[in-house]
Amino acid sequence: ALFLLSGLFSWAFFRSSLDGAANSILGNANLIKKTYFPREFLPVCAVMGNLAGFLFALAVLFVFSLFFGIPLYRGLAWLPLVVFVQVVLTLGIALFLAGMNTVYRETQFIMDILLLVWFYATPVVYSLEMAENALPGFVFFFYKLNPMLGIIRGYQEIFFLGRPPEWGSLAASFVFSGLLFVLGFLSFRSQERVFEDMV
């Protein structure tokens, strides 16, 4: 149960943030037409609102870990870094989806399918070791490029294994998250000028 919650809470934050961000522009059409403000504010608020609930979920996970006797003192100091990397990744994809879904309304449906595939391609309900044993070497190499892998693994290592995150996976997630944030922001800005005509 503790292993599952370590991954599921993180994924739930990721998924709910993207769902909210994808419709953040369309859902505030009247506000966008009436006044000017930085449009990035809307998808960012969707992510930050879900972050508040996620932090509460982490507090619950902390209590569960104490109940099971996990030595949290070894890895808990690194938790803010793991959360930061996930927030950067989520913001980048949220900005991309907010812009795309405003211009191309079918983006929401494509996103639902891709997120379902992404969920099963991430070690949330199974361990990374199980994936390594099941996949051929070259497939596992590409599997490890998943930016959510290092993040989910980081939570599992802190709350379930009681140790600091594995730096290789987390560093790869950080690099991919930063890249996706920049791309998401640039994509949002390039589409922002047509928002008033599309909503």
Side-chain angles (χ1 to χ4, degrees), residues 122-144:
T122 304
V124 178
V125 296
Y126 57 86
S127 68
L128 181 62
E129 291 73 22
M130 291 174 65
E132 185 175 11
N133 292 332
L135 298 174
F138 74 96
V139 177
F140 185 68
F141 171 79
F142 289 104
Y143 173 87
K144 290 182 68 177

Side-chain angles (χ1 to χ4, degrees), residues 94-168:
L95 287 167
F96 175 79
L97 288 176
M100 289 293 291
N101 195 50
T102 304
V103 179
Y104 307 103
R105 305 299 170 85
E106 63 275 10
T107 300
Q108 176 80 50
F109 306 106
I110 298 173
M111 181 195 77
D112 290 339
I113 297 172
L114 292 178
L115 284 177
L116 180 62
V117 175
W118 196 349
F119 174 80
Y120 287 108
T122 304
V124 178
V125 296
Y126 57 86
S127 68
L128 181 62
E129 291 73 22
M130 291 174 65
E132 185 175 11
N133 292 332
L135 298 174
F138 74 96
V139 177
F140 185 68
F141 171 79
F142 289 104
Y143 173 87
K144 290 182 68 177
L145 297 178
N146 176 358
M148 278 297 288
L149 187 150
I151 295 168
I152 295 290
R153 184 67 175 169
Y155 292 119
Q156 291 168 345
E157 288 176 317
I158 292 171
F159 290 107
F160 178 68
L161 299 175
R163 67 190 186 196
E166 198 277 311
W167 291 111

